Structures are given as C-alpha cells and as structure tokens.
Amino acid sequence: MATAAMFVQQGLVATLARVDPERTRRSIDTAETSWQQFKLLHRSVPRIVREP
C-alpha cells in the first residue's frame, strides 16, 4: 500500500533524476547493493546490469 511519504519520496527521486541522472543512478545502485548485503532487497525479476 502506498503512503503519502512514499509519494513524496518518489517525487524527490524523480526530480533529482532529471537534475543529475548519472548521480541518481549511482546512488540507487549503491543503495540496492547495501540492501542486498543486509538481505533487505528481494527481487522477483533479475537486476538490470548497466554498462559504465
């Protein structure tokens, strides 16, 4: 279930992605790596590997 806080967070990420897409991509990749290490991220689809 989506909450108001989730909508605000998604809006912020979308705005930042428009301002600096490469930095946003790196930040998301770093966060996902940390979540995987702590077993907090469970994917039902394979992770998309991007070329540097």
Side-chain angles (χ1 to χ4, degrees):
M1 173 185 267
T3 65
M6 289 172 67
F7 290 129
V8 170
Q9 182 270 338
Q10 289 172 351
L12 288 170
V13 170
T15 300
L16 291 172
R18 278 185 263 134
V19 172
D20 191 344
E22 181 57 26
R23 182 176 177 184
T24 302
R25 184 196 62 76
R26 287 191 317 264
S27 295
I28 290 171
D29 285 344
T30 300
E32 287 183 352
T33 299
S34 296
W35 296 338
Q36 285 177 331
Q37 289 173 347
F38 292 105
K39 305 209 184 317
L40 298 173
L41 181 65
H42 305 283
R43 293 183 173 272
S44 58
V45 295
R47 182 175 187 175
I48 297 172
V49 177
R50 298 178 186 92
E51 295 296 321

